[in-house]
């Protein structure tokens, strides 16, 4: 009998937190998200024809999303069947957990955001902008030092939701296939779900589907951040809840506002607000009503809260695995 998916999620989280995705392995075979991205890029080039009317491009975008999801499901179900058919259950389980760990981003997110704090301290604004440009899509040259810090913290909160909690949640609910399908949809949104002339119609399905599947994860992310707040000196669970109730709905994203507002409220920060993407100012509501003049020390406080929220997530998944074992 296969071991329960929550246990698979917990082991995958532990593996990824300890070792991440090894650079040597990446150089040899790439990364599963890169494989998915290659398919999405190919479909974009083949199906998204600029001369086609918007309705037709939207329909082809639906087809592209379905192809990506079906290919991902087929590959992961086949892998699970092969491993479970050839290997003892415990060994197959461990290999599936290793594979699933590649779909999580606890360690890499921590490292990238920590690097922004280090770069601001060691190299000032110039190096801080270079570091934050690796994790955000906005124009780094439009950011001052406080803007770099806020961008890093906003990215930490949002990517905790869709890079850590969401794939872990779908892994716990649907096994490797559930997590892989989530990552496929999320990657499609990040590549083609943009409101640009090229992708406004073609990426419509990917953007809307990603919004839908992230609804439960973003709300749970806010919960885990608030629950974790009392374990971080100076953080407030009450202020986190207050900010979520007041501000989350004013974010331009139906999902990102929840973890951003929770983190901002818990730490006494002000995040989001107007931002510049590709030379265009995007208006957005403010998350939290605290300080906006943030720096490297504030990034590190946010990382403390992030790590505590990850521990809360582990505890929730462990509880789910234990409940299944006792049924």
């Amino acid at each position: 009998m296969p071991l329960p998916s929550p246990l698979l999620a917990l082991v995958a989280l532990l593996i990824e937190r300890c070792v991440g995705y090894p650079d040597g392995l990446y150089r040899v075979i790439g990364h599963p998200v890169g494989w998915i991205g290659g398919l999405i890029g190919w479909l974009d080039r083949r199906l998204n024809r600029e001369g086609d009317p918007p309705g037709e491009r939207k329909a082809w975008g639906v087809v592209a999303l379905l192809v990506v999801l079906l290919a991902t499901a087929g590959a992961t179900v086949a892998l699970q069947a092969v491993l479970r058919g050839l290997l003892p259950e415990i060994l197959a389980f461990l290999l599936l957990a290793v594979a699933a760990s590649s779909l999580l981003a606890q360690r890499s997110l921590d490292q990238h955001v920590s690097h922004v704090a280090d770069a601001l301290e060691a190299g000032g604004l110039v190096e801080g902008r270079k570091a934050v440009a690796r994790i955000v899509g906005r124009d780094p040259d439009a950011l001052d030092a406080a803007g770099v810090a806020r961008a890093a913290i906003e990215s930490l909160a949002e990517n905790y939701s869709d890079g850590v909690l969401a794939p872990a949640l779908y892994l716990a609910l649907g096994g490797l296939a559930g997590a892989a399908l989530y990552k496929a949809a999320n990657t499609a949104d990040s590549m083609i779900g943009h409101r640009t002339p090229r992708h406004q119609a073609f990426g419509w399905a990917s953007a809307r589907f990603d919004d839908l599947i992230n609804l439960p994860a973003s709300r749970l992310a806010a919960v885990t951040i608030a629950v974790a707040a009392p374990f971080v000196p100076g953080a407030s669970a009450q202020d986190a809840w207050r900010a979520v109730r007041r501000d989350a709905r004013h974010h331009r994203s139906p999902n990102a506002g929840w973890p951003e507002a929770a983190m901002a409220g818990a730490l006494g920060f002000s995040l989001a607000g107007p931002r510049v993407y590709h030379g265009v100012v995007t208006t957005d509501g403010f998350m939290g009503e605290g300080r906006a003049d943030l720096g490297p020390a504030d990034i590190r406080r946010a990382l403390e809260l992030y790590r505590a929220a990850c521990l809360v997530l582990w505890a929730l998944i462990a509880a789910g695995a234990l409940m299944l074992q006792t049924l």
Side-chain angles (χ1 to χ4, degrees), residues 292-315:
D293 186 17
L294 307 181
D298 298 306
I299 297 176
R300 294 197 170 92
R301 283 191 68 216
L303 283 164
E304 285 186 55
L305 181 55
Y306 160 73
R307 292 164 190 151
C310 285
L311 291 176
V312 172
L313 173 62
W314 294 5

Side-chain angles (χ1 to χ4, degrees), residues 3-10 13 80 84 165-182 213 215-217 220 313 316-317 320-321 324:
L3 293 168
S5 293
L7 183 60
L8 180 69
L10 182 61
L13 282 164
Q80 290 178 128
R84 287 172 173 160
L165 192 148
L169 174 64
Y170 286 105
L171 179 58
L173 294 174
L176 179 62
L181 284 168
Y182 169 78
I213 61 177
L215 281 172
L220 184 57
L313 173 62
L316 287 174
I317 293 177
L324 284 179

Side-chain angles (χ1 to χ4, degrees), residues 162-240:
D162 61 21
V164 179
L165 192 148
L169 174 64
Y170 286 105
L171 179 58
L173 294 174
L176 179 62
L181 284 168
Y182 169 78
K183 290 300 291 186
N186 188 245
T187 304
D189 175 61
S190 67
M191 291 183 65
I192 62 176
H194 307 297
R195 295 177 180 176
T196 60
R198 175 165 179 80
H199 291 122
Q200 178 80 38
F202 186 75
W204 171 83
S206 294
R208 298 290 76 76
F209 187 64
D210 183 72
D211 286 343
L212 177 65
I213 61 177
N214 272 299
L215 281 172
S218 62
R219 276 64 177 169
L220 184 57
V223 170
T224 57
I225 289 170
V227 170
F231 300 99
V232 176
S236 168
Q238 183 177 3
D239 290 342

Side-chain angles (χ1 to χ4, degrees), residues 18-320:
C18 292
V19 301
Y21 193 81
D23 291 339
L25 185 62
Y26 180 82
R27 286 192 293 269
V28 174
I29 66 170
H31 190 279
V33 172
W35 308 339
I36 295 169
L39 175 59
I40 295 167
W42 182 81
L43 290 166
D44 186 24
R45 292 189 298 273
R46 297 283 295 184
L47 302 180
N48 188 13
R49 296 180 289 267
E50 294 187 5
D52 290 345
E56 190 171 325
R57 293 175 80 173
K58 182 180 285 189
W60 280 118
V62 173
V63 171
L65 177 62
L66 290 174
V67 168
V68 170
L69 294 177
L70 288 171
T72 301
T76 51
V77 169
L79 176 61
Q80 290 178 128
V82 168
L83 290 179
R84 287 172 173 160
L86 296 178
L87 300 174
E89 181 59 37
I90 187 63
L91 183 55
F93 174 85
L94 289 174
L95 289 176
L96 286 172
V98 170
S101 72
S102 69
L103 304 174
L104 303 165
Q106 291 171 110
R107 185 182 179 92
S108 61
L109 178 58
D110 194 315
Q111 290 173 335
H112 280 96
V113 175
S114 295
H115 183 58
V116 177
D118 294 340
L120 275 174
E121 283 188 335
L125 179 57
V126 172
E127 293 303 315
R129 284 172 172 171
K130 290 178 183 177
V132 84
R134 300 187 184 102
I135 59 173
V136 300
R138 70 195 70 173
D139 297 347
D141 292 339
L143 300 173
D144 58 11
V148 168
R150 288 196 304 274
I153 295 168
E154 291 160 13
S155 180
L156 177 65
E158 183 175 356
N159 282 289
Y160 165 62
S161 177
D162 61 21
V164 179
L165 192 148
L169 174 64
Y170 286 105
L171 179 58
L173 294 174
L176 179 62
L181 284 168
Y182 169 78
K183 290 300 291 186
N186 188 245
T187 304
D189 175 61
S190 67
M191 291 183 65
I192 62 176
H194 307 297
R195 295 177 180 176
T196 60
R198 175 165 179 80
H199 291 122
Q200 178 80 38
F202 186 75
W204 171 83
S206 294
R208 298 290 76 76
F209 187 64
D210 183 72
D211 286 343
L212 177 65
I213 61 177
N214 272 299
L215 281 172
S218 62
R219 276 64 177 169
L220 184 57
V223 170
T224 57
I225 289 170
V227 170
F231 300 99
V232 176
S236 168
Q238 183 177 3
D239 290 342
W241 290 122
R242 184 179 297 113
V244 167
R245 291 195 302 270
R246 183 188 62 237
D247 302 330
R249 67 182 181 275
H250 299 303
H251 199 285
R252 66 191 179 93
S253 164
N255 295 311
W258 288 75
E260 285 188 26
M263 186 164 283
L267 297 174
F269 297 161
S270 180
L271 301 175
R275 286 164 285 186
V276 180
Y277 293 87
H278 309 295
V280 178
V281 177
T282 300
T283 57
D284 205 350
F286 284 97
M287 303 293 108
E289 53 184 7
R291 291 185 300 112
D293 186 17
L294 307 181
D298 298 306
I299 297 176
R300 294 197 170 92
R301 283 191 68 216
L303 283 164
E304 285 186 55
L305 181 55
Y306 160 73
R307 292 164 190 151
C310 285
L311 291 176
V312 172
L313 173 62
W314 294 5
L316 287 174
I317 293 177

